[in-house]
Amino acid sequence: MYTASIAHNEKTINKLYRTQYYTFGKTRIVLRFAAGLALIIICVASNLPLWVKGLLLLSGAWLVSSPDFPAQVMADKVLTSRKSSLPVMSYEFHGEFMKLTGEGSMNIDYQRFRVLIEDSEYFYMFISQDSACMIDKGTLTPNEPEKFAAFVMGKTGLTFRREKSLLAMNLQDLRNIFHE
């Protein structure tokens, strides 16, 4: 019914790990931000020596300004370990399963997928936190991303969603993070 692929490179690996981290690590992101903010408030509100305040401010600012640092570290480890042999994955979407080929071949039942994410360039289909299929929208055949998304949502019973950055979240989003 549909075919697609992805030729991984440094950009796609970074985007995959960042999306994975923002999808499954929201609690960690909020806790890092809160810890950084607490360090900054302690720095401002205390009468500690100037060098201690400097360390607190530096640490707090780093925690607040680098919410996806753990994802960058994971992506860098993968890129370093794989060097120049990044995978090229191909996908065939059939009525009852998806066929994945690249570094081997396997059929995946649609019911195994747990989370569907999309951004402007890619679809991400997560089986688990550590297992995802990343699909380049530009390689989709036929080139009907909306119909493809509807097909996958119908087969999986899930909905594609777009991840929000921490600054774009409202109180309801934050409550949902801790509820999940």
Side-chain angles (χ1 to χ4, degrees):
M1 303 191 98
Y2 292 96
T3 61
S5 64
I6 187 159
H8 281 290
N9 55 41
E10 185 175 335
K11 175 189 166 200
T12 63
I13 295 296
N14 281 316
K15 284 193 80 148
L16 176 61
Y17 278 92
R18 188 168 192 263
T19 301
Q20 173 197 27
Y21 186 67
Y22 275 95
T23 301
F24 296 99
K26 286 181 184 161
T27 302
R28 189 173 174 190
I29 292 168
V30 170
L31 292 176
R32 278 178 60 92
F33 184 83
L37 194 57
L39 289 174
I40 292 169
I41 291 170
I42 290 169
C43 172
V44 171
S46 68
N47 289 327
L48 296 170
L50 187 59
W51 67 272
V52 174
K53 283 185 166 188
L55 289 175
L56 289 175
L57 186 59
L58 181 67
S59 300
W62 181 75
L63 286 171
V64 167
S65 66
S66 62
D68 61 353
F69 181 74
Q72 293 171 3
V73 170
M74 292 187 303
D76 287 345
K77 283 182 185 177
V78 168
L79 290 168
T80 301
S81 68
R82 304 250 351 204
K83 301 206 183 343
S84 63
S85 63
L86 296 174
V88 175
M89 309 302 288
S90 298
Y91 307 96
E92 294 176 13
F93 294 87
H94 300 278
E96 300 302 318
F97 63 92
M98 179 190 77
K99 182 177 183 180
L100 168 66
T101 55
E103 297 181 321
S105 179
M106 67 187 292
N107 294 339
I108 302 172
D109 292 332
Y110 292 111
Q111 298 307 312
R112 289 188 57 200
F113 292 104
R114 299 288 171 246
V115 178
L116 303 177
I117 305 290
E118 74 170 303
D119 63 23
S120 60
E121 299 175 87
Y122 304 102
F123 289 111
Y124 306 86
M125 300 170 62
F126 287 94
I127 294 172
S128 68
Q129 180 174 346
D130 299 320
S131 181
C133 297
M134 183 177 182
I135 299 163
D136 185 344
K137 289 182 177 181
T139 65
L140 196 59
T141 306
N143 190 5
E144 302 169 334
E146 295 82 18
K147 289 183 180 179
F148 170 76
F151 169 79
V152 171
M153 289 188 295
K155 294 296 183 179
T156 61
L158 302 170
T159 302
F160 275 103
R161 66 180 196 231
R162 292 184 179 266
E163 288 300 312
K164 293 181 179 178
S165 72
L166 185 62
L167 297 175
M169 291 183 184
N170 58 31
L171 288 176
Q172 182 66 35
D173 294 328
L174 291 174
R175 207 166 70 208
N176 289 340
I177 288 171
F178 289 107
H179 187 276
E180 291 174 1

